[in-house]
């Protein structure tokens, strides 16, 4: 029984996980411990042992990519025996398949459609219009996030108990009721409905439930730590007959609570399923011993975890580097210089990653890399100067600087909304072409000729008057280009649009704009800044060949690189202040898990850094080193920047900089006291 080829490369724990086929099983799979190999080998073994036909195995993943990879691996092992593995896919794809078969049970026809986010937003807008709800104050995306939260908890509108202290929930619940009715009337559902309807169908139809709970002799779930309430409930229903459910995951990598994931599903697995067998995969095949020990020591400070003792199968490797820099700009310069002067000789750029806590942090790295010609890509995001809110701000500045900039005019004349719609812009364009004038000049002419509709005329006049005011402001010596953008954002209504709109994405947009203001301070005037932006956006960044990877820590989940830089380890930034304020100890522990994920992306080198000062929201702030750095084991660290003991005046800064008094901040002094 144990002579199959797919078992030959397994360690003892992996082998045990594959062979255990009777009853519920929780596989605690540490980072880089070969969980995908275990899952695919387990599916192969179930079929080889004739414990179930392929059609009797339910295997669930979170992404289509993971499902495809798993299917390919099983096919390579079993060849023709894998035919019929029809229930391998994502939660949503499998639920959609089930609903197609039993749509009538939830009031749908079998040919129902699944709407995307754009359609959802359009529907919510129509409902808000009918209910006289101002979407400028309560964004459709935010309304949908609340509805999605309720659906993740398995709640239809009539099952929701609103938090009476939450004003938004009071407003959203009536919208949710109308929204669900309209979805049914349109014979459609959203992604949240796929799970919600499926659970409802199984709960309320014993005959349907029995068909599938009996059919699925084995259930396998990948990344179980990322499941939400409704997903866990769905699995529980389907497993009730055979109870052969195997869930694989790592509680130390649970970093998605913000999108509904509930770590307690993982932590309380043995309470949900009696007689659970727990197997820990503790041999790491990815990271060197030093990297792994740093990560393990850090995560051991969390209280809410199953616990494991992860050991590297690789050599000791390089010590984890801890660097301090004067400021964020020097941090980007230092990282770039290390890559250019040292690392790219030893490693492919494709195998070098910079993982940031917040997306606005990429700006300083992008600026540096563009300057020195170091190719890079942004994974899971958009390059800084290509982000919509940044392009909007730059368009305002371009038009103020140059009144003939038609592209900038078109972008912001109705942004925010000023009743200057497409028909009005068409009229302006036609007049411009006919008379060979700029769009701005044409607008003024059309207003004088009274050829613009009253409502649009009012909005257009308001905009043109603001342009003149801003140009005069810039001529005023007391208003520099940075102050100008702040005035523009306030007086145009752009700031109010972002601040007043309750939208989960707006925090990032505001952070990006604040970072743009920081960037502008590096230039003497508006013209030089605009020249810089033009150069930055015109450079072909889609170079063939190798590129350094820039991304958030959240986006790095599931990836691995030879070299990983982890900048910005400062209190307030990492751990993020908002996470701690909103979730307290649970938020802090999730931030620590995020740090663990970041470190364990590294195979050979991990480099952590922080800055003593950061320019933030227009001011230099004194940074305090992240509490996480205190939790790293000294024996596995190489600290490159220190005050010499009892010689505070002799500061050594990476051997690359001349020390200045201004960099000896209280934050740095506090750090020195903590490490001594």
């Amino acid at each position: 029984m144990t002579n199959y080829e797919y078992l030959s490369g397994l360690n003892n724990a992996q082998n045990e996980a594959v062979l255990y086929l009777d009853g519920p099983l929780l596989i605690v799979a540490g980072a880089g411990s070969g969980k995908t190999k275990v899952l695919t080998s387990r599916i192969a073994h179930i079929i080889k042992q004739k414990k179930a036909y392929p059609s009797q195995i339910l295997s669930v993943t979170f992404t289509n990519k993971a499902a495809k990879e798993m299917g390919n691996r099983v096919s390579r092992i079993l060849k023709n025996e894998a035919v019929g593995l029809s229930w391998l896919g994502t939660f949503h794809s499998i639920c959609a398949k089930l609903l197609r078969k039993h749509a009538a049970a939830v009031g749908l026809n079998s040919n129902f459609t699944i709407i995307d986010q754009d359609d959802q937003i359009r529907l919510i807008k129509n409902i808000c219009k009918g209910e006289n709800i101002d979407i400028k104050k309560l964004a459709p995306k935010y309304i949908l996030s609340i509805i999605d939260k309720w659906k993740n908890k398995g709640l239809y509108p009539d099952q929701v108990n609103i938090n009476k202290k939450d004003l938004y929930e009071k407003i959203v619940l009536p919208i949710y009721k109308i929204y669900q009715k309209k979805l049914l009337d349109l014979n459609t559902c959203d992604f949240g409905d796929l799970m919600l309807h499926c659970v409802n169908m199984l709960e309320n139809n014993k005959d349907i439930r029995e068909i599938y709970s009996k059919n699925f002799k084995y259930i396998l779930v990948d990344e179980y730590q990322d499941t939400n309430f409704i997903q866990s409930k769905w699995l529980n229903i389907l497993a009730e007959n055979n109870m052969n459910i195997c869930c694989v995951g790592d509680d130390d990598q649970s970093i998605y609570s913000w999108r509904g994931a509930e770590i307690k599903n993982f932590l309380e697995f043995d309470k949900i399923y009696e007689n659970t067998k727990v197997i820990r995969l503790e041999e790491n095949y990815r990271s060197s011993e030093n990297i792994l020990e740093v990560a393990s020591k850090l995560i051991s400070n969390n209280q809410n975890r199953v616990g494991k003792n992860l050991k590297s199968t690789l050599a000791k490797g390089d010590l984890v580097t801890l660097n301090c820099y004067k400021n964020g700009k020097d941090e980007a310069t230092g990282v770039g210089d290390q890559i250019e002067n040292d690392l790219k000789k030893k490693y492919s750029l494709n195998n070098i990653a910079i993982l940031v806590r917040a997306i606005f942090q990429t700006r300083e790295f992008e600026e540096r890399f563009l300057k020195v010609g170091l190719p890079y890509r942004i994974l899971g995001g958009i390059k800084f100067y290509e982000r919509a809110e940044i392009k909007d701000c730059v368009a305002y500045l371009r038009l103020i600087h140059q009144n003939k900039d038609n592209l900038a005019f078109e972008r912001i004349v109705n942004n925010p909304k000023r009743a200057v719609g497409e028909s009005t812009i068409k009229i302006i364009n036609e007049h411009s072409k006919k008379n060979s004038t700029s769009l701005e000049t044409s607008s003024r002419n059309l207003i004088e000729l009274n050829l613009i509709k009253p409502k649009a005329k009012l909005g257009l006049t308001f905009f043109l008057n603001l342009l003149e005011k801003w140009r005069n402001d810039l001529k005023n010596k007391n208003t520099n280009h940075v102050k100008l953008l702040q005035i523009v954002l306030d007086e145009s209504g752009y700031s109010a649009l972002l601040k007043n709109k309750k939208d989960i994405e707006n925090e990032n947009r505001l952070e990006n704009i604040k970072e743009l203001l920081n960037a502008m301070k590096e230039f003497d005037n508006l013209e030089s800044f605009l020249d810089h932006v033009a150069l930055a956006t015109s450079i072909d960044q889609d170079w063939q060949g190798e590129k350094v990877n820039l991304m958030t820590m959240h986006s790095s989940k599931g990836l691995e690189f030879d070299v990983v830089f982890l900048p910005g380890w400062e209190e307030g930034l990492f751990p993020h202040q908002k996470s701690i304020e909103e979730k307290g100890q649970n938020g802090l522990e999730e931030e620590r898990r995020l740090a663990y994920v970041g470190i364990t992306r590294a195979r050979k080198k991990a480099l952590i850094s922080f800055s003593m000062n950061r320019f933030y929201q227009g001011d230099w702030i004194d940074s305090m080193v992240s509490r996480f750095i205190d939790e790293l084991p000294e024996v596995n660290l190489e600290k490159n920047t220190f005050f010499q003991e009892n010689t505070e005046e002799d500061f050594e800064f990476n051997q690359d900089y001349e020390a200045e008094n201004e960099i000896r901040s209280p934050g740095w002094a506090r750090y020195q006291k903590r490490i001594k």
Side-chain angles (χ1 to χ4, degrees):
M1 183 179 79
T2 58
N3 293 328
Y4 296 122
E5 188 179 338
Y6 57 83
L7 297 176
S8 62
L10 302 176
N11 63 41
N12 291 337
Q14 290 173 332
N15 192 70
E16 185 183 7
V18 170
L19 298 180
Y20 187 84
L21 301 180
D22 298 308
L25 173 63
L26 181 67
I27 302 174
V28 184
S33 62
K35 66 177 178 66
T36 304
K37 186 176 182 180
V38 168
L39 278 172
T40 52
S41 298
R42 185 176 166 87
I43 293 172
H45 192 64
I46 290 167
I47 296 170
K48 278 287 189 183
Q49 288 297 299
K50 302 191 185 308
K51 291 285 188 175
Y53 294 111
S55 61
Q56 294 175 318
I57 299 171
L58 172 64
S59 185
V60 193
T61 66
F62 271 86
T63 66
N64 290 317
K65 183 183 175 183
K68 189 176 180 180
E69 183 186 354
M70 197 174 294
N72 289 338
R73 286 200 191 190
V74 174
S75 295
R76 283 198 294 271
I77 297 170
L78 294 178
K79 306 294 189 293
N80 291 337
E81 290 180 88
V83 173
L85 201 63
S86 53
W87 295 100
L88 193 161
T90 65
F91 280 96
H92 291 104
S93 67
I94 292 170
C95 281
K97 190 173 177 179
L98 289 170
L99 283 175
R100 294 284 179 206
K101 293 176 180 288
H102 310 283
V106 292
L108 292 167
N109 297 324
S110 60
N111 64 342
F112 66 84
T113 55
I114 304 167
I115 62 171
D116 60 17
Q117 192 180 62
D118 287 344
D119 288 333
Q120 287 179 275
I121 290 171
R122 197 174 298 113
L123 183 54
I124 291 292
K125 282 181 176 177
N126 289 337
I127 294 169
C128 288
K129 188 177 180 180
E131 298 298 306
N132 293 318
I133 294 167
D134 188 355
I135 60 172
K136 292 180 180 178
K137 295 182 178 179
L138 191 62
K141 276 191 179 179
Y142 185 71
I143 293 171
L144 286 168
S145 73
I146 295 176
I147 291 172
D148 198 49
K149 178 185 72 175
W150 286 330
K151 290 186 177 184
N152 287 342
K153 292 184 181 296
L155 302 173
Y156 284 101
D158 60 347
Q159 297 170 312
V160 172
N161 289 316
I162 61 170
N163 179 356
K164 293 182 179 177
K165 294 181 181 179
D166 192 321
L167 175 64
Y168 296 113
E169 285 195 1
K170 287 182 182 178
I171 298 170
V172 173
L173 184 56
I175 298 172
Y176 183 21
K177 290 177 180 176
I178 300 169
Y179 175 73
Q180 282 305 106
K181 185 176 184 305
K182 284 187 178 292
L183 288 177
L184 284 174
D185 291 343
L186 294 167
N187 191 39
T188 191
C189 58
D190 61 24
F191 280 97
D193 285 330
L194 294 175
M195 292 295 313
L196 184 64
H197 288 333
C198 204
V199 167
N200 178 39
M201 172 192 76
L202 293 169
E203 279 192 315
N204 296 316
N205 296 272
K206 188 179 178 183
D207 55 335
I208 298 174
R209 183 170 71 249
E210 285 186 350
I211 290 171
Y212 295 102
S213 64
K214 286 179 179 178
N215 179 72
F216 295 137
K217 291 188 175 181
Y218 287 91
I219 298 173
L220 298 91
V221 187
D222 192 16
E223 302 286 5
Y224 186 66
Q225 78 280 348
D226 294 333
T227 55
N228 57 34
F229 173 85
I230 194 75
Q231 288 163 341
S232 177
K233 189 173 183 179
W234 179 74
L235 291 166
N236 191 239
I237 293 170
L238 293 175
E240 68 180 9
N241 192 278
N242 293 303
M243 297 302 288
N244 288 324
I245 181 168
C246 168
C247 292
V248 184
D250 184 4
D251 52 316
D252 291 334
Q253 296 188 65
S254 179
I255 58 174
Y256 297 127
S257 68
W258 50 275
R259 66 185 193 195
E262 296 193 14
I263 192 173
K264 72 176 184 180
N265 291 342
F266 195 95
L267 299 176
E268 298 177 2
F269 185 87
D270 58 346
K271 294 178 182 176
I272 301 169
Y273 301 98
E274 291 183 8
N275 303 315
T276 290
K277 173 82 169 173
V278 179
I279 296 175
R280 289 170 169 81
L281 305 184
E282 297 179 319
E283 290 186 52
N284 175 284
Y285 296 90
R286 177 191 299 156
S287 305
S288 67
E289 191 176 322
N290 275 313
I291 292 171
L292 205 58
E293 286 183 5
V294 167
S296 297
K297 183 67 169 67
L298 175 67
I299 201 63
S300 69
N301 290 278
N302 273 8
Q303 300 300 310
N304 295 311
R305 59 193 295 258
V306 173
K308 57 185 172 296
N309 185 26
L310 209 54
K311 296 292 183 185
S312 177
T313 60
L314 306 176
K316 197 80 173 172
D318 293 345
L319 294 170
V320 172
T321 303
L322 178 60
N323 281 326
C324 171
Y325 296 94
K326 283 192 297 185
N327 50 53
K329 188 176 181 180
D330 281 345
E331 186 175 45
T333 300
V335 169
D337 288 352
Q338 266 190 290
I339 295 171
E340 284 276 69
N341 300 331
D342 182 29
L343 294 172
K344 78 175 187 179
K345 299 172 186 173
K346 302 175 184 177
Y347 305 100
S348 160
L349 291 182
N350 289 333
N351 269 317
I352 299 174
I354 300 167
L355 311 184
V356 297
R357 174 61 182 86
I359 193 65
F360 78 85
Q361 288 175 262
T362 67
R363 197 273 303 177
E364 285 177 318
F365 292 98
E366 291 187 62
E367 297 271 20
R368 180 62 185 175
F369 294 174
L370 286 169
K371 189 174 181 179
V372 300
L374 188 62
Y376 71 95
R377 64 171 68 88
I378 303 284
L379 290 186
I382 302 168
K383 292 176 178 175
F384 185 80
Y385 287 111
E386 293 174 6
R387 294 167 195 168
E389 60 278 9
I390 301 302
K391 291 176 81 170
D392 290 342
C393 291
V394 171
Y396 270 107
L397 295 173
R398 279 170 45 192
L399 188 59
I400 292 167
H401 179 65
Q402 165 58 284
N403 65 2
K404 295 181 180 179
D405 193 328
N406 288 350
L407 291 175
F409 182 94
E410 279 199 85
R411 184 176 184 93
I412 49 102
V413 66
N414 200 41
N415 186 11
K417 301 283 187 199
R418 301 186 182 94
V420 185
E422 289 183 10
S423 60
T424 303
I425 294 171
K426 186 180 177 183
I427 292 168
I428 297 169
N429 267 301
E430 287 172 352
H431 185 277
S432 171
K433 287 176 184 177
K434 186 179 178 181
N435 297 281
S436 300
T437 56
S438 70
L439 295 182
E440 182 178 335
T441 301
S442 291
S443 298
R444 297 184 188 280
N445 292 340
L446 288 165
I447 288 170
E448 284 183 19
L449 295 167
N450 204 28
L451 296 174
I452 303 289
K453 290 180 180 178
K455 197 173 179 181
K457 181 181 176 180
L458 191 66
L460 192 58
T461 303
F462 175 74
F463 174 67
L464 294 170
N465 289 341
L466 280 177
L467 282 176
E468 285 302 308
K469 178 192 175 296
W470 294 331
R471 286 168 184 151
N472 289 329
D473 286 341
L474 188 59
K475 290 177 185 176
N476 185 341
K477 292 182 180 180
N478 295 324
T479 305
N480 62 21
H481 55 297
V482 182
K483 180 66 178 174
L484 174 68
L485 179 56
Q486 292 172 322
I487 292 170
V488 168
L489 289 168
D490 286 340
E491 294 182 352
S492 68
Y494 200 94
S495 289
L497 178 72
L498 293 183
K499 289 175 183 175
N500 296 339
K501 234 179 181 181
K502 195 69 179 173
D503 189 320
I504 53 178
E505 295 176 4
N506 275 355
E507 185 177 337
N508 282 339
R509 293 190 186 106
L510 287 166
E511 290 290 341
N512 285 332
I513 289 173
K514 290 168 185 173
E515 186 60 25
L516 178 66
L517 290 165
N518 294 346
M520 291 175 68
K521 293 203 174 217
E522 297 175 15
F523 299 88
D524 294 331
N525 52 55
L526 179 59
E527 188 172 26
S528 60
F529 170 70
L530 291 174
D531 286 348
H532 168 75
V533 174
L535 184 63
T537 53
S538 65
I539 291 174
D540 182 9
Q541 297 180 41
D542 198 25
W543 298 317
Q544 295 297 313
E546 298 182 351
K547 303 182 184 76
V548 176
N549 302 283
L550 268 166
M551 72 195 81
T552 64
M553 290 185 196
H554 283 101
S555 298
S556 74
K557 179 89 182 303
L559 303 176
E560 56 186 73
F561 306 91
D562 285 342
V563 181
V564 171
F565 287 91
L566 298 151
W569 281 43
E570 300 136 33
E571 286 293 307
L573 181 55
F574 192 48
H576 203 281
Q577 190 64 32
K578 187 171 181 254
S579 185
I580 296 172
E581 286 175 355
E582 292 183 354
K583 300 173 190 172
Q585 184 64 25
N586 289 337
L588 176 62
E589 292 207 352
E590 182 158 344
E591 290 287 295
R592 191 177 284 113
R593 291 195 293 271
L594 191 56
Y596 175 83
V597 167
I599 296 169
T600 55
R601 298 313 91 195
R603 289 191 285 255
K604 298 176 181 179
K605 287 187 74 69
L607 303 96
I608 298 168
S609 60
F610 63 96
S611 300
M612 292 178 292
N613 298 280
R614 275 204 187 269
F615 197 71
Y616 186 67
Q617 297 188 30
D619 293 304
W620 282 103
I621 59 170
D622 214 21
S623 302
M624 187 169 181
V625 66
S626 169
R627 70 190 76 188
F628 295 156
I629 289 176
D630 272 348
E631 299 170 0
L632 306 179
E634 299 271 337
V635 68
N636 306 107
L637 294 180
E638 176 187 12
K639 299 176 179 177
N640 285 357
T641 56
F642 301 96
F643 283 124
Q644 298 295 319
E645 195 157 356
N646 300 320
T647 57
E648 289 192 358
E649 296 304 310
D650 298 322
F651 174 62
E652 296 180 14
F653 184 78
N654 276 353
Q655 313 300 319
D656 295 328
Y657 303 89
E658 290 186 14
E660 299 174 2
N661 289 331
E662 66 182 31
I663 67 176
R664 300 191 187 99
S665 68
W668 179 245
R670 286 193 295 272
Y671 172 63
Q672 290 306 305
K673 289 177 183 177
R674 292 164 72 183
I675 65 171
K676 287 178 181 178

